[in-house]
Amino acid sequence: MRQNKANAANRQARLKQTPEKPATFAGATLMYAAQAFGLASCPMGGFDPDGVAREFALGPQEIPVMLLAVGHGEAGNWPPKPRRAVADALGLA
Ligand SMILES: Cc1cc2nc3c(=O)[nH]c(=O)nc-3n(C[C@H](O)[C@H](O)[C@H](O)COP(=O)(O)O)c2cc1C
């Protein structure tokens, strides 16, 4: 009985963590696809997951992990934030 409870808690914890990895790849792929169609996109992790689940009628096994806004980039929009050069952030071993 006690073991069953521990297993259920473990499964719940894994269920919460697991979707983030594939969702990140899916989100990046959608961003590339949007760009190929001439659209801009912006990922967001700061949202109310219960509100999203309610609005989209998600089931208990469906966990929203990211929102991706997609639309037409505005001319004269603010410039991208400064970033380190790719060569400073990535290395090949
Ligand atoms: C996974 C992920 C989640 C993000 N979540 C948020 C968010 O909840 N709110 C926010 O203001 N920016 C968020 N950002 C950052 C914006 O998507 C965007 O990259 C940032 O505002 C920098 O804009 P820029 O790409 O035009 O420089 C997130 C970025 C990533 C990669």
Side-chain angles (χ1 to χ4, degrees):
M1 183 72 175
R2 205 174 185 176
Q3 185 64 39
N4 282 350
K5 266 192 179 173
N7 286 346
N10 191 21
R11 264 197 308 280
Q12 283 303 320
R14 278 188 16 231
L15 197 60
K16 281 196 173 126
Q17 286 169 6
T18 307
E20 294 190 3
K21 293 172 187 170
T24 302
F25 283 111
T29 305
L30 274 173
M31 292 174 81
Y32 291 132
Q35 192 169 21
F37 281 99
L39 297 168
S41 62
C42 180
M44 289 170 280
F47 61 88
D48 170 13
D50 292 335
V52 170
R54 207 170 36 248
E55 283 302 312
F56 289 87
L58 301 184
Q61 299 289 317
E62 297 173 304
I63 300 170
V65 296
M66 188 189 307
L67 300 184
L68 186 65
V70 178
H72 296 277
E74 286 276 319
N77 204 351
W78 61 81
K81 296 187 182 78
R83 288 176 169 80
R84 291 170 64 182
V86 173
D88 288 344
L90 286 180
L92 293 180

